[in-house]
């Protein structure tokens, strides 16, 4: 972990980590990497100035994205060990297995084929099954296209004949975070006359506030739930339907409620016509589903052509990921650097700082993608693991973040590795604002890297007129240690293609890491446990419940009885 001086002190506990059931070559490389980072303090400034080829060696140009990894805690030796480690984990074969539809989600015996969702329509797969999946995807895209056209042209109208102006996506987790992030990111491509709303929380303030600002005659609700059992979404959908029926009739539901789900029967039971259910399949994980019909809200917001551009961007990154040697492979390098920070340097958090207002919700989206995927405690065989599987991800947009938490980056005792995301041009052209945004992003990365030593500060203060004593007293407060790692990801400006590239980049980074850690990134049993417990607690909150709660701890029990006392009073 960093001691705040820009130097990293490595935890002995990490060194003693047991590495269960790993092949010998993998164990050896892991130990070698640990030993290397234990004994070597990498000075990024020195590495950059000594090796004139460093920026070239540690940059990846995918055509749409430019990834500069050169300000990271890695040198030639470490990079070689990391790439060898990836080889020892059979990463190449594991990538092929995922793309080929092998059941990489072993606990649920499922494939993870989000990559098929963004394949061109004429892609040819090896297996008959994969070709069938591809046909289902293309059929659904056609259905989405004609629905979007009907809404945008005004052919599909509300029950009083008015055109649809408001789309409300009712979903949570993967059925909300991706579409919400993408609709915000691509606002500049917004279809005229359409406003998109996202309601996810069970807190009725979320739905209540949205309903207060829309007209049932002009609103389309999308009930987006892969399982069609998620309680937040089901309860929001029930309330939305009741609100709608307060002014309309049952027969009008078909013009105003559609569903996206793999559970067509449940959607029909809810009251949605079968024809109005857009399918998705169990080989698409929730947090990987924005490419499927879960992305219908995106397509309605930006138009189907732009949605297809988003898919093309994802596919572009898929091609880069599967065809590029590891040393030049963006998601592979990103994933391996994450191994350095998580497991070799014991850095607990990573920050995502987009200098792009369009990416306001990108850190929220990545939190589910990374932490729901790789927050695991056992390996693929179910054996407990003793090493960290990932970092806590957080972040916010620059430059706002500079005026909030960057002080801790520069002088605090914590270190976290940062991904800066930077568009090199803007959709707008307002004075010099974009230039200043770019300067700020570059300056932050530079300040973190270079730091500012005490001597230089003292001289500066003296030249500003302070006497020697004053300069000596003030200088330590102004010292910036430097040698803090960051990655810079730049692109021309935010477009559907760029966004598709970016999302797929992080998806594949997560997969790379899961392979190194030997974990399943496609299940989420911990979340399912929380849902189960919630279902068992709710009956005890009913007003007519007189039994004391069974199976709950005393702390929870006391809150339940306090809840009842308060309810009786009010
Ligand atoms: O948060 C748990 C989870 O199962 C996610 O993986 C998923 O994205 C979310 O719930 C919503 O699930 P569904 O689309 O089935 O409503």
């Amino acid at each position: 972990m960093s001691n705040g001086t820009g130097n990293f002190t490595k935890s002995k506990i990490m060194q003693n980590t047991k590495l269960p059931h790993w092949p010998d070559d993998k164990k050896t490389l892991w130990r070698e990497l640990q030993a290397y980072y234990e004994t070597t303090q990498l000075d990024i400034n020195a590495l950059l100035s000594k090796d004139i080829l460093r920026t070239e060696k540690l940059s990846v140009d995918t055509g749409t994205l430019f990834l500069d990894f050169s300000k990271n805690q890695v040198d030639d030796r470490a990079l070689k060990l990391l790439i060898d480690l990836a080889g020892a984990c059979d990463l190449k074969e594991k990538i092929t297995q995922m793309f080929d539809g092998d059941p990489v989600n072993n606990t649920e015996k499922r494939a993870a084929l989000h990559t098929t969702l963004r394949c061109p329509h004429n892609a040819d797969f090896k297996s008959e099954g994969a070709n069938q999946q591809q046909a289902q995807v293309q059929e659904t895209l056609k259905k989405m296209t004609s629905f979007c056209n009907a809404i945008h042209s005004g052919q599909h109208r509300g029950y009083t004949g008015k055109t649809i102006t408001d789309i409300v996506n009712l979903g949570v987790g993967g059925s909300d975070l991706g579409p919400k992030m993408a609709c915000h990111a691509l606002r500049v491509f917004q279809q005229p006359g359409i406003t998109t709303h996202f309601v996810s929380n069970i807190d009725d303030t979320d739905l209540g506030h949205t309903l207060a600002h829309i007209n049932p005659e002009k609103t389309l609700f999308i009930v987006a739930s892969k399982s069609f059992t998620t309680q937040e979404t089901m309860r929001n959908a029930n309330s939305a339907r009741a609100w709608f029926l307060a002014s309309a009739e049952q027969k009008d539901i078909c013009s105003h409620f559609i569903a996206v789900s793999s559970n067509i029967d449940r959607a029909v039971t809810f009251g949605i016509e079968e024809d109005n259910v857009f399918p998705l399949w169990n080989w698409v994980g929730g947090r990987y589903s924005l490419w499927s019909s879960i992305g219908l809200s995106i397509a309605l917001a930006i138009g189907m052509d732009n949605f297809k551009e988003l898919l093309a961007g994802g596919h572009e990154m898929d091609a880069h990921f599967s065809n590029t040697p590891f040393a030049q492979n963006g998601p592979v390098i990103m994933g391996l650097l994450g191994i350095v920070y998580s497991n070799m340097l014991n850095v607990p958090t990573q920050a995502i700082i987009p200098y792009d207002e369009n990416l306001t919700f990108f850190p929220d989206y990545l939190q589910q993608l990374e932490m729901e995927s790789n927050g695991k405690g056992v390996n693929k065989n179910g054996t407990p693991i003793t090493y960290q599987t990932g970092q806590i991800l957080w972040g916010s947009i620059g430059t706002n973040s500079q005026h909030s938490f960057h002080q801790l980056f520069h002088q605090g005792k914590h270190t976290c590795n940062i991904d800066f995301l930077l568009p090199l041009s803007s959709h707008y052209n307002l004075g010099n604002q974009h230039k200043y945004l770019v300067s700020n992003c570059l300056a932050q990365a530079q300040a973190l890297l270079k730091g500012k030593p005490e001597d230089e500060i003292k001289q500066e203060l003296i030249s500003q007129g302070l006497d020697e004593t004053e300069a000596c007293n003030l200088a330590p407060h102004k010292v910036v240690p430097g040698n803090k790692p960051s990655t810079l990801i730049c692109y021309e400006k935010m477009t559907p293609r760029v966004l598709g590239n970016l999302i797929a980049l992080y998806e594949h980074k997560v997969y790379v890491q899961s392979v190194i850690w030997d974990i399943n990134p496609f299940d989420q049993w911990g979340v399912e446990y929380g849902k189960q417990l919630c279902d068992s607690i709710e009956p005890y909150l009913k007003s007519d419940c007189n039994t004391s709660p069974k199976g709950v701890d005393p702390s929870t029990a006391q809150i339940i009885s306090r809840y009842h006392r308060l309810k009786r009073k009010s």
Side-chain angles (χ1 to χ4, degrees):
M1 189 169 330
S2 168
N3 56 17
T5 63
N7 291 325
F8 291 81
T9 53
K10 272 66 74 176
S11 155
K12 292 284 175 207
I13 298 166
M14 301 304 287
Q15 277 286 345
N16 295 331
T17 317
K18 275 196 190 153
L19 307 174
H21 308 303
W22 280 8
D24 285 346
D25 54 344
K26 179 174 174 185
K27 265 189 201 165
T28 307
L29 285 158
W30 184 273
R31 295 284 186 222
E32 255 186 77
L33 270 163
Q34 284 185 316
Y36 187 63
Y37 276 98
E38 183 81 31
T39 53
T40 318
Q41 290 286 355
L42 294 179
D43 178 343
I44 309 169
N45 283 297
L47 290 168
L48 273 163
S49 54
K50 264 196 299 191
D51 182 357
I52 49 163
L53 294 177
R54 180 175 170 87
T55 48
E56 198 181 307
K57 282 188 288 192
L58 285 169
S59 296
V60 173
D61 190 347
T62 71
T64 302
L65 302 180
F66 185 79
L67 315 169
D68 179 356
F69 298 115
S70 66
K71 296 194 197 78
N72 277 286
Q73 287 279 337
V74 72
D75 62 1
D76 290 349
R77 167 100 186 110
L79 193 64
K80 172 154 188 348
L81 287 170
L82 287 164
I83 288 172
D84 289 350
L85 177 70
C89 296
D90 299 328
L91 179 59
K92 186 82 197 139
E93 292 76 7
K94 298 275 167 66
I95 293 172
T96 308
Q97 284 169 11
M98 181 178 75
F99 278 86
D100 281 355
D102 288 4
V104 287
N105 176 355
N106 63 314
T107 61
E108 296 177 300
K109 299 187 176 62
R110 287 177 188 167
L113 273 174
H114 40 288
T115 49
T116 301
L117 299 168
R118 50 207 191 212
C119 264
H121 68 277
N122 51 1
D124 194 17
F125 292 90
K126 271 190 257 148
S127 77
E128 191 42 40
N131 280 315
Q132 275 168 13
Q133 284 159 344
Q134 170 72 352
Q136 290 173 322
V137 169
Q138 292 307 321
E139 202 182 306
T140 305
L141 281 170
K142 274 197 200 131
K143 186 174 161 114
M144 287 170 74
T145 306
S146 56
F147 187 72
C148 287
N149 288 343
I151 293 284
H152 294 147
S153 65
Q155 183 200 334
H156 179 121
R157 288 175 182 256
Y159 68 98
T160 57
K162 294 190 171 138
T163 51
I164 299 292
T165 55
D166 291 83
I167 314 286
V168 182
N169 189 80
L170 305 169
V172 73
S175 302
D176 166 72
L177 288 164
K180 180 179 170 184
M181 175 277 290
C183 283
H184 188 83
L186 302 172
R187 286 169 301 170
V188 76
F189 300 91
Q190 183 80 27
Q191 289 285 314
I194 296 281
T195 308
T196 322
H197 311 262
F198 289 88
V199 173
S200 54
N201 202 335
I202 191 65
D203 182 341
D204 59 5
T205 312
D206 198 4
L207 180 63
H209 185 76
T210 305
L211 296 180
H213 293 90
I214 53 177
N215 176 351
E217 295 165 78
K218 303 200 276 180
T219 298
L220 177 81
F221 290 96
I222 304 177
V223 187
S225 175
K226 182 181 164 189
S227 58
F228 226 80
T229 57
T230 305
Q231 283 305 308
E232 288 90 333
T233 304
M234 292 305 103
R235 289 174 195 225
N236 275 325
N238 283 329
S239 302
R241 184 179 50 189
W243 172 84
F244 176 76
L245 289 176
S247 52
E249 292 175 34
Q250 188 70 31
K251 67 173 174 44
D252 302 324
I253 294 251
C254 60
S255 323
H256 293 266
F257 281 78
I258 61 166
V260 177
S261 187
S262 61
N263 196 339
I264 295 174
D265 290 350
R266 270 189 175 260
V268 170
T269 309
F270 173 87
I272 293 174
E273 283 188 3
E274 190 161 349
D275 220 30
N276 283 343
V277 184
F278 290 75
L280 79 151
W281 309 276
N282 69 10
W283 41 268
V284 181
R287 52 193 170 273
Y288 299 86
S289 65
L290 72 86
W291 317 97
S292 71
S293 45
I294 285 290
L296 188 57
S297 51
I298 310 173
L300 284 164
I302 63 172
M304 204 58 198
D305 287 347
N306 284 319
F307 184 72
K308 285 183 180 164
E309 266 294 290
L310 179 82
L311 300 183
H315 181 67
E316 209 168 80
M317 183 52 70
D318 294 341
H320 169 83
F321 181 50
S322 38
N323 301 329
T324 313
F326 290 168
Q328 276 302 303
N329 191 314
V332 171
I333 306 280
M334 241 179 144
L336 293 174
L337 288 171
I339 302 293
V340 169
Y341 296 117
S342 300
N343 305 109
M344 308 300 152
L345 297 173
N346 200 15
V347 176
T349 80
Q350 59 171 322
I352 307 291
I353 317 281
Y355 274 70
D356 188 342
E357 182 73 28
N358 295 310
L359 291 179
T360 299
F361 299 115
F362 199 54
D364 296 5
Y365 165 75
L366 288 183
Q367 281 183 327
Q368 188 201 16
L369 177 64
E370 293 219 0
M371 298 198 283
E372 193 168 272
S373 295
N374 282 344
K376 303 290 160 64
V378 295
N379 71 8
K380 281 193 103 171
N381 291 329
T383 309
I385 49 181
T386 47
Y387 43 88
Q388 288 295 345
T389 59
Q391 297 175 284
I392 294 163
L393 185 151
W394 60 291
S396 175
I397 45 165
T399 59
N400 298 11
S401 54
Q402 288 175 212
H403 304 278
S404 168
F405 50 78
H406 283 217
Q407 167 60 29
L408 178 142
F409 290 159
H410 293 300
Q411 291 188 303
K413 300 294 283 179
H414 287 284
T415 286
C416 80
N417 48 304
I418 303 166
D419 286 356
F420 290 111
L421 290 95
L422 179 65
L424 296 178
S425 72
S426 165
H427 285 286
Y428 303 93
N429 190 13
L430 300 175
N432 282 330
Q433 284 191 224
H434 187 72
K435 230 175 252 163
Y436 196 62
L437 176 86
V438 175
S439 314
N440 265 285
C441 179
L442 297 180
Q444 289 299 307
Q446 225 192 345
L448 289 163
L449 170 75
K450 281 176 64 176
K452 194 159 180 175
E454 195 163 342
D455 280 355
E456 191 183 317
I457 295 165
K458 246 189 260 168
Q459 289 316 314
E460 209 175 82
L461 290 172
I462 289 166
S463 69
Q464 285 164 6
L466 266 70
D467 67 29
E468 178 81 23
T469 316
E470 281 174 322
C472 284
N473 287 341
L474 186 54
H477 297 277
K478 298 186 105 186
V479 169
V480 178
N483 203 30
K484 304 267 176 86
S486 68
T487 294
L488 188 69
I489 300 175
C490 31
Y491 44 91
E492 195 196 329
K493 61 179 147 191
M494 182 48 62
T495 61
R497 190 168 280 260
V498 166
L499 188 66
N501 264 269
L502 269 180
I503 299 168
L505 168 73
Y506 280 93
E507 281 179 354
H508 294 322
K509 169 204 168 184
V510 167
Y511 185 64
V512 168
Q513 297 187 325
S514 75
V515 169
I516 308 284
W517 291 320
D518 189 26
I519 55 175
N520 179 0
F522 299 114
D523 60 10
Q524 59 286 319
W525 298 106
V527 185
E528 306 306 335
Y529 176 54
K531 288 182 190 173
Q532 252 175 35
L533 280 188
C534 176
D535 289 346
S536 70
I537 286 175
E538 198 195 5
Y540 294 116
L541 298 177
K542 291 201 172 127
S543 53
D544 57 356
C545 176
N546 298 318
T547 48
S548 43
K550 286 197 192 77
V552 301
D553 63 87
S555 160
T556 307
Q558 85 162 348
I559 305 296
I560 292 174
S561 56
R562 197 175 172 80
Y563 175 88
H564 281 300
R565 275 206 304 280
L566 269 172
K567 282 279 163 192
R568 278 196 293 273
K569 267 197 225 154
S570 58

